[in-house]
Amino acid sequence: MRYVSSGHSHGEQITIILEGLPSNLEVSLEAINKALKERQLGYGRGSRMKIEADEAEISSGVLFGKTTGAPLTIVVKNKDYLNHKSYMDPFNFTKDFVQKITIPRPGHADLVGAIKYNQDDMRVIFERASARETVSRVAVGAICSQILNQLAIKARSFVKNIGKVEIEADYDPNYIELSALRMPSKLATEKAISLIDEAQKNQDTLGGTCQVEVDNVPVGLGSYVSYDKKLDARIAQALLSIQACKGVEFGDGFALTEKFGSEVHDEIIYQEGFRRSSNHYGGFEGGMTNGMPLILRAAFKPIPTLMKPLKSVDIKTKQTTLSHIERSDICVLPAASIICMYTVIYEITKALCEMFTANTMESLIQAVESYREYVKRF
Ligand SMILES: Cc1cc2nc3c(=O)[nH]c(=O)nc-3n(C[C@H](O)[C@H](O)[C@H](O)COP(=O)(O)O)c2cc1C
């Protein structure tokens, strides 16, 4: 299974070609659109999210409501395109009326992208570097989650901290969907909203951490035999490729380094099959799922565009000046938690389709069921 996406942040559309889905998967457009909407929500987003109301269109690979086994073409139109058409239309542009953006933002792809692709206008860089691209990750993951549903594999995600505001003792997973920040804590949500307000007042931005959990993943997805078959490594790569993601940890992650081995290795027990008495490794050993719930976290840096800009240098004049300002988000952790969850869902589905006969949904379901029986008997 693989996909490629194209599209600019303010271009006409994001296009995705997704190949390798089993045939006969009943596709719910409603579920894809619900996921796309979730990506747009959350306290701390900029005004762009009020313009866009993302909706997917599928123009190939699905007939009579079901996948055919052929590549899917998925399109999500950018409503904001009409406001930018005069210069975002690839050929019919009026570039002379648009001022070039020549001052790169520290922390963004602007400067290095301009050097690498020999551009004198940063717009050319950030139109693709922007996180609008994550629409593709969510749309693909939302289709894959319809496969996982049929295998009773369930994923969820939440925001663990924003800046220094951590989930408090009132941890309640039922609160995630009620929280404006997808935090499972009312107290933390209130404190984090105040922190975001403070950041906005100071014309600053914030980062944070989100957590993804997946239940009922079969034992042995991924493999230790080669570096590129290790599923934890593949998930880490996929998450680190999300804009602004700076770290990924599994289970107790970096905290493991401060403990003795006897405190952290998950002991093996036998209770109607092999199990672990704890889950310090977040469900992975040797690059393979070990049957415990997957638990992983992704760390996001504060958003680069600051309304009170940092120092930069104009690439044309070479003069020190204040960096360029774009309409921008203040904190994107709720969206990041959704993007991370669908990214993990895609990687798990891909690994499942590699390990089991996945030409059709029927063969995939049957293969996973009989493998689960085999694991129980082992
Ligand atoms: C959901 C989401 C929304 C984002 N929105 C913005 C934004 O409005 N302004 C901005 O400067 N960066 C934003 N970013 C982060 C930048 O896209 C990212 O920092 C930049 O592309 C450079 O990549 P890097 O941080 O991975 O090095 C966003 C990231 C995510 C995940």
Side-chain angles (χ1 to χ4, degrees):
M1 186 181 295
R2 61 181 178 156
Y3 74 89
V4 64
S5 83
S6 69
H8 295 130
S9 183
H10 301 94
E12 197 168 359
Q13 63 190 44
I14 302 289
T15 310
I16 307 141
I17 311 272
L18 169 60
E19 186 186 55
L21 285 179
S23 66
N24 295 336
L25 170 71
E26 230 169 274
V27 176
S28 159
L29 260 186
E30 208 187 326
I32 302 169
N33 291 336
K34 185 169 170 276
L36 290 173
K37 190 169 176 125
E38 284 172 346
R39 193 199 73 94
Q40 298 188 277
L41 298 177
Y43 195 79
R45 299 304 300 275
S47 52
R48 168 92 191 257
M49 290 307 125
K50 295 193 183 95
I51 300 169
E52 299 295 349
D54 291 334
E55 277 185 16
E57 296 159 27
I58 296 183
S59 59
S60 73
V62 175
L63 286 175
F64 308 113
K66 290 183 179 178
T67 54
T68 62
L72 264 70
T73 308
I74 309 153
V75 165
V76 179
K77 297 266 186 211
N78 292 330
K79 303 233 164 26
D80 208 10
Y81 173 59
L82 295 178
N83 301 323
H84 300 263
K85 194 173 184 310
S86 62
Y87 60 92
M88 286 307 296
D89 185 310
F91 297 107
N92 297 313
F93 53 86
T94 48
K95 201 170 179 189
D96 294 347
F97 298 123
V98 187
Q99 214 183 352
K100 281 184 184 164
I101 298 171
T102 57
I103 311 168
R105 289 162 296 174
H108 219 294
D110 300 348
L111 178 61
V112 187
I115 295 170
K116 181 174 169 74
Y117 293 102
N118 189 22
Q119 299 296 333
D120 62 359
D121 185 347
M122 303 298 159
R123 196 184 306 279
V124 177
I125 309 308
F126 64 71
E127 276 298 336
R128 182 60 187 166
S130 142
R132 182 80 189 138
E133 176 267 332
T134 58
V135 161
S136 58
R137 303 174 194 243
V138 172
V140 165
I143 295 171
C144 291
S145 89
Q146 297 174 36
I147 298 180
L148 297 195
N149 280 345
Q150 297 206 31
L151 301 170
I153 299 171
K154 292 267 170 262
R156 62 190 162 273
S157 67
F158 60 84
V159 175
K160 192 175 160 290
N161 73 288
I162 288 178
K164 288 201 169 128
V165 177
E166 284 269 355
I167 296 168
E168 307 249 339
D170 66 335
Y171 171 81
D172 174 8
N174 295 322
Y175 194 71
I176 298 171
E177 302 303 327
L178 301 173
S179 163
L181 291 168
R182 292 188 54 78
M183 289 181 111
S185 153
K186 192 165 184 282
L187 281 174
T189 302
E190 285 164 6
K191 284 189 185 168
I193 285 177
S194 305
L195 190 66
I196 292 169
D197 289 344
E198 189 187 326
Q200 181 167 30
K201 206 170 93 216
N202 297 334
Q203 301 183 304
D204 220 322
T205 59
L206 285 162
T209 310
C210 59
Q211 179 154 325
V212 180
E213 300 177 351
V214 194
D215 290 338
N216 206 23
V217 180
V219 176
L221 280 195
S223 177
Y224 58 88
V225 298
S226 291
Y227 72 93
D228 57 349
K229 297 220 162 32
K230 293 186 182 230
L231 185 56
D232 48 0
R234 277 161 46 158
I235 289 174
Q237 191 278 335
L239 291 173
L240 281 167
S241 74
I242 298 171
Q243 291 79 350
C245 181
K246 289 291 133 193
V248 175
E249 62 177 5
F250 293 85
D252 294 355
F254 288 121
L256 291 167
T257 61
E258 295 166 11
K259 303 267 175 71
F260 289 108
S262 55
E263 294 175 284
V264 298
H265 303 314
D266 301 313
E267 283 187 318
I268 299 167
I269 53 176
Y270 192 83
Q271 269 175 6
E272 293 168 45
F274 289 100
R275 302 190 194 290
R276 308 303 159 113
S277 53
S278 55
N279 190 15
H280 296 294
Y281 292 135
F284 282 97
E285 281 167 312
M288 300 169 291
T289 51
N290 67 4
M292 294 299 284
L294 306 192
I295 298 177
L296 50 108
R297 282 176 291 280
F300 284 81
K301 73 184 190 185
I303 293 302
T305 307
L306 304 184
M307 291 303 136
K308 189 170 63 192
L310 296 174
K311 266 196 237 154
S312 181
V313 174
D314 190 314
I315 58 166
K316 197 170 162 209
T317 64
K318 311 290 188 277
Q319 297 296 307
T320 297
T321 179
L322 292 178
S323 83
H324 166 71
I325 299 178
E326 272 289 305
R327 177 183 56 192
S328 191
D329 298 318
I330 300 161
C331 173
V332 297
L333 261 294
S337 74
I338 294 292
I339 299 162
C340 287
M341 181 179 77
Y342 284 109
T343 300
V344 172
I345 285 173
Y346 168 69
E347 291 299 329
I348 290 172
T349 311
K350 191 173 159 186
L352 275 165
C353 291
E354 280 169 18
M355 179 155 163
F356 300 102
T357 318
N359 260 7
T360 65
M361 275 310 289
E362 297 82 350
S363 64
L364 178 64
I365 292 168
Q366 198 185 18
V368 173
E369 270 173 13
S370 63
Y371 177 76
R372 281 178 165 149
E373 285 303 314
Y374 152 77
V375 172
K376 258 191 222 159
R377 288 193 310 269
F378 183 85

